[in-house]
């Protein structure tokens, strides 16, 4: 997925393995390259093959937790080698060129399951991984402004309560993260970052960097710094770590990589992880298939391990506009070789998003409707968040100090991960289950539209789950909100050479408006240099917030601060928009006042 320049729009196109339409011994590589040995709770040192061989395939060998050493000798006797071991969850990652390896190992005492994780060969890079590029950084002259997605989840109002605690660590399990990016570097936690590509931890400096663009975009949505540059993340005060689980070239996320990432998350104290992908090569893993059953069990155990260590997993629902509650066919798997169409049932699951305990996130477009591509399913979707749709993408960070738009449930999930991090910041003793419950409690109910595919009730349905994520309510608790908040979501068309108004009636506010009245504006227009935008107070006083600047730039999505301290707060306030030229039109999409 290539992104050419600042402000580039990237649509759903993404390597298979993203949540898309529209993804040895186990001593870390750094220790091994220095001739050292290392044993961690994540995994235990074990003999690895000396070199890669053509035809090498990867397998999960599953035993009882703590039982891997008893069967590791049988791996070699069956024509394989131990590449990584996760003894705490009873998982060995084995490699073999033998077509009989799995059958042989299934007959070994103490072995519960064995399954191939791929239908293609393990890349030679697994045995001598190349470090991802460290891109040259460009600086930005862009200043922070509220984007539609942040306005939609009331992020700015939430920041008045908390921007997040630096003690809260969020793991980005993805294609990697550009830690040098000007908006990510202030919050990046290198000490807890690594690569888990191929299913083995690599702690060399930079192993966590992006082999695409996806992970950096996700990271910015979660926690881009509030530093006056570029963009602001949902939780700009928390720390983010990169665990790269995508492999270079293919950008695929195989089961052993996800297992490694979840165990790393548990062992390194990640309060939340974001998972904007599905575990390749199967879009859905079916328990009646011996290989896929082992994949389900291995990843499930790793998720349970991470949650037991205090980590909540948040995951994208996928971008195939597919009803996850009524599965019938899968025509996209296996995506590492030749996909075939197969009949499936609801017993087949998209992992990790459909694993127990994982928060499953659907995507919304600008305005809160279901995004056209978003998967859905009553009883499967937990919550919804902005993911973008069409021209209204989610704007965030890209490698090399750049920025751009992407659409997808991959973009919705990090909004929820960021809100979960805010919840953890104001409730530091919360368990993953309590954070998960709070996400449901704070969600704003959204009823089904007139679409027969949407099943359920207003409070919980297949398009939005328990509702739309709301950062302000999520951090409210017993803390008062940052002032009375009023909004108007009704669209008002802006015609050429015309003046239009949208009104908000304010009541229940004592005294005058503040000197820092916040005016949130969301105007969709194809040439904002045509526009003059005024706030009109109840007594008719006019405060100009935008006066024909921005030239040919599209849209005004920004929060302005107005000194309205001489105005009585209660009454009818108006947003007045004057279009001063022909050809370009638009609409007032929404606006709000915070006193």
């Amino acid at each position: 997925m290539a992104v050419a320049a600042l402000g580039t729009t990237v649509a759903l196109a993404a390597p298979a393995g993203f949540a898309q339409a529209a993804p040895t011994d186990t001593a870390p590589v750094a220790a091994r390259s220095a001739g050292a040995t290392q044993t961690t709770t994540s995994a235990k040192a074990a003999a690895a093959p000396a070199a890669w061989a053509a035809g090498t395939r990867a397998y999960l060998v599953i035993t009882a937790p703590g039982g891997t050493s008893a069967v590791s000798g049988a791996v070699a006797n069956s024509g394989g080698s131990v590449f990584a071991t996760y003894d705490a969850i009873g998982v060995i990652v084995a490699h073999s060129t033998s077509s009989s390896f799995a059958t042989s190992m299934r007959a070994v005492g103490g072995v519960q399951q064995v399954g191939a994780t791929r239908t293609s060969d393990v890349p030679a890079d697994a045995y001598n991984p190349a470090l991802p590029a460290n891109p040259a950084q460009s600086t930005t002259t862009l200043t922070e402004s509220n984007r539609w997605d942040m306005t939609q989840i009331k992020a700015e109002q939430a920041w008045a309560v908390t921007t997040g605690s630096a003690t809260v660590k969020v793991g980005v399990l993805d294609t990697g993260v550009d830690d040098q990016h000007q908006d990510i570097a202030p919050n990046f936690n290198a000490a807890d970052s690594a690569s888990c590509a191929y299913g083995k931890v690599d702690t060399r400096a930079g192993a966590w960097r992006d082999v695409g663009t996806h992970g950096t975009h996700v990271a910015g949505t979660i926690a881009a710094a509030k530093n006056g540059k570029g963009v602001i993340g949902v939780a700009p005060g928390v720390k983010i770590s990169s665990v790269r689980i995508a492999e270079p070239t293919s950008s695929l996320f195989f089961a052993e990589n996800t297992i490694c990432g979840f165990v790393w998350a548990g062992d390194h104290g990640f309060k939340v992880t974001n998972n904007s992908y599905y575990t390749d090569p199967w879009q859905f893993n079916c328990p009646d298939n011996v290989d896929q059953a082992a994949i389900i069990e291995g990843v499930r155990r790793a998720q349970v391990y991470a949650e037991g260590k205090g980590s909540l997993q948040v995951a994208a629902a996928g971008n195939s506009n597919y009803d996850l509650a009524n599965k019938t066919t899968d025509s996209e798997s296996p995506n590492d070789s030749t996909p075939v169409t197969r009949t499936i049932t609801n017993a087949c699951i998209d992992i990790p998003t459909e694993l127990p305990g994982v928060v499953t996130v659907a995507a919304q477009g600008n305005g809160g409707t279901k995004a056209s591509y978003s998967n859905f399913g009553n009883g499967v979707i937990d919550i919804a968040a902005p993911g973008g749709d069409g021209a209204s993408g989610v704007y965030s960070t890209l490698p090399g100090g750049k920025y751009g738009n992407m659409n997808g449930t991959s973009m919705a999930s990090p909004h929820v991960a960021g809100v979960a991090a805010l919840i953890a910041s104001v409730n530091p003793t919360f368990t993953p289950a309590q954070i998960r419950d709070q996400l449901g409690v704070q969600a704003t109910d959204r009823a089904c539209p007139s679409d027969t595919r949407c099943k359920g009730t207003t409070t919980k349905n297949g398009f939005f789950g328990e509702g739309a994520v709301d950062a302000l309510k999520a951090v409210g608790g017993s803390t008062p909100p940052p002032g009375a908040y009023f909004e108007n979501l009704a669209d008002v068309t802006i015609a050429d050479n015309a003046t239009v108004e949208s009104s908000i009636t304010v009541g229940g506010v004592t005294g005058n408006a503040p000197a820092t009245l916040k005016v949130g504006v969301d105007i969709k227009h194809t040439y904002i240099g045509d526009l003059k935008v005024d706030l009109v107070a109840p007594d008719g006083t006019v405060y100009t917030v935008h006066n024909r600047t921005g030239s040919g730039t599209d849209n005004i999505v920004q929060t302005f601060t107005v000194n309205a301290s001489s105005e009585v707060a209660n009454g009818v306030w108006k947003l007045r928009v004057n279009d001063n030229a022909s050809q370009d039109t638009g609409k007032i999409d929404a606006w709000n006042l915070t006193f």
Side-chain angles (χ1 to χ4, degrees):
M1 171 168 48
V3 175
L6 184 70
T8 298
T9 296
V10 181
L12 286 171
F18 292 143
Q20 94 243 19
T24 180
D25 58 65
T26 52
V29 171
R32 291 188 285 108
S33 63
T37 59
Q38 180 171 337
T39 301
T40 70
T41 55
S42 299
K44 187 167 60 172
W52 176 84
T56 299
R57 296 293 174 93
Y59 300 86
L60 298 182
V61 178
I62 297 178
T63 73
T68 58
S69 59
V71 304
S72 58
V75 172
N77 294 337
S78 299
S81 58
V82 174
F83 188 74
T85 303
Y86 298 93
D87 191 55
I89 60 172
V91 173
I92 295 171
V93 180
H95 286 177
S96 180
T97 59
S98 171
S99 60
S100 62
F101 174 77
T103 301
S104 177
M105 284 301 299
R106 288 176 188 130
V108 172
V111 173
Q112 298 175 348
Q113 290 176 274
V114 180
T117 65
R118 308 166 186 245
T119 63
S120 58
D121 291 353
V122 175
D125 185 66
Y127 290 86
N128 186 24
L131 286 174
N134 185 9
Q137 300 293 317
S138 59
T139 57
T140 183
T141 57
L142 296 173
T143 56
E144 294 167 344
S145 62
N146 257 6
R147 287 108 62 207
W148 70 267
D149 55 316
M150 296 298 171
T151 299
Q152 191 160 297
I153 69 170
K154 297 184 176 67
E156 185 175 73
Q157 286 75 40
W159 298 332
V161 179
T162 181
T163 56
S165 169
T167 64
V168 172
K169 294 189 283 189
V170 180
V172 179
L173 277 59
D174 214 290
T175 62
V177 173
D178 178 7
D179 56 303
Q180 305 296 308
H181 193 290
Q182 59 210 339
D183 247 341
I184 291 176
N187 290 333
F188 192 77
N189 172 19
D192 293 308
S193 295
S195 169
C196 272
Y198 312 112
K200 181 188 294 187
V201 174
D202 181 351
T203 60
R204 291 176 298 167
W208 56 73
R209 291 197 176 117
D210 210 331
V211 295
T213 59
H214 193 267
T216 300
H217 194 277
V218 164
T221 298
I222 296 170
K226 201 171 188 292
N227 57 4
K229 303 174 183 177
V231 298
I232 311 174
V234 176
V238 306
K239 296 298 181 183
I240 47 175
S241 297
S242 171
V243 183
R244 178 168 65 86
I245 61 171
E247 298 179 5
T249 307
S250 69
S251 288
L252 296 183
F253 304 74
F254 292 100
E256 59 268 37
N257 310 3
T258 303
I259 290 168
C260 172
F262 283 166
V263 173
W264 179 271
D267 286 338
H268 288 260
F270 295 173
K271 198 69 175 177
V272 182
T273 71
N274 186 80
N275 303 270
S276 290
Y277 60 93
Y278 69 77
T279 301
D280 300 294
W282 307 100
Q283 184 179 28
F284 300 105
N285 286 270
C286 300
D288 60 354
N289 178 288
V290 67
D291 293 319
Q292 293 163 40
I295 290 172
I296 294 170
E297 180 61 12
V299 179
R300 184 197 68 80
R301 289 189 187 187
Q303 195 289 123
V304 169
Y305 178 87
E307 182 164 344
K309 293 279 189 174
S311 179
L312 175 69
Q313 277 56 253
V314 178
N319 302 336
S320 298
N321 195 23
Y322 193 99
D323 187 351
L324 298 174
N326 291 283
K327 301 184 183 86
T328 55
T329 58
D330 172 16
S331 59
E332 299 182 21
S333 307
N335 61 12
D336 66 335
S337 55
T338 303
V340 297
T341 298
R342 57 180 180 147
T343 300
I344 62 172
T345 69
N346 285 349
C348 304
I349 60 173
D350 180 341
I351 59 174
T353 197
E354 287 193 87
L355 289 175
V358 176
V359 178
T360 304
V361 183
Q364 296 173 286
N366 190 349
T369 59
K370 173 192 172 295
S372 60
Y373 53 79
S374 181
N375 286 354
F376 57 97
N378 194 24
V380 179
I381 301 302
D382 292 311
I383 197 167
D389 205 2
S392 293
V394 172
Y395 193 69
S396 187
T397 48
L398 297 174
K402 299 176 183 178
Y403 301 84
N405 290 291
M406 292 187 186
N407 295 334
T409 56
S410 285
M411 286 61 254
S413 182
H415 285 89
V416 175
V419 172
L422 293 179
I423 292 171
S425 297
V426 296
N427 302 281
T429 63
F430 268 22
T431 65
Q434 288 173 311
I435 298 174
R436 189 164 54 241
D437 289 345
Q438 182 66 11
L439 283 170
V441 168
Q442 60 76 39
T444 299
D445 292 341
R446 286 195 67 95
C448 281
S450 55
D451 187 325
T452 57
R453 299 174 303 163
C454 186
K455 310 295 183 184
T457 65
T458 298
T459 57
K460 188 166 187 179
N461 58 64
F463 276 16
F464 307 107
E466 293 193 65
V469 72
D470 186 313
L472 176 59
K473 286 199 291 184
V475 301
S478 59
T479 305
Y485 179 81
F486 303 86
E487 65 182 350
N488 187 337
L489 300 177
D491 292 351
V492 178
T493 299
I494 304 169
D496 280 330
N497 296 295
T499 299
V500 298
E501 293 181 341
S502 177
S503 300
I504 290 176
T505 300
V506 173
V509 179
T510 303
N512 284 8
T516 56
L517 178 65
K518 300 294 185 183
V519 185
V521 175
D522 186 351
I523 295 174
K524 301 297 188 297
H525 197 278
T526 51
Y527 198 97
I528 66 173
D530 290 353
L531 301 181
K532 181 173 182 285
V533 182
D534 300 315
L535 176 69
V536 183
D539 68 356
T541 303
V542 175
Y543 299 86
T544 300
V545 296
H546 173 91
N547 193 2
R548 305 196 67 180
T549 60
S551 188
T553 306
D554 292 349
N555 306 334
I556 304 173
V557 184
Q558 188 171 349
T559 297
F560 302 95
T561 300
V562 173
N563 183 352
S565 57
S566 63
E567 307 292 340
V568 174
N570 293 333
V572 178
W573 295 75
K574 297 177 182 179
L575 189 72
R576 177 181 295 160
V577 181
N578 173 228
D579 186 306
N580 292 275
S582 58
Q583 296 185 345
D584 291 273
T585 59
K587 64 180 179 179
I588 301 174
D589 203 10
W591 72 289
N592 58 70
L593 294 170
T594 304
F595 288 81

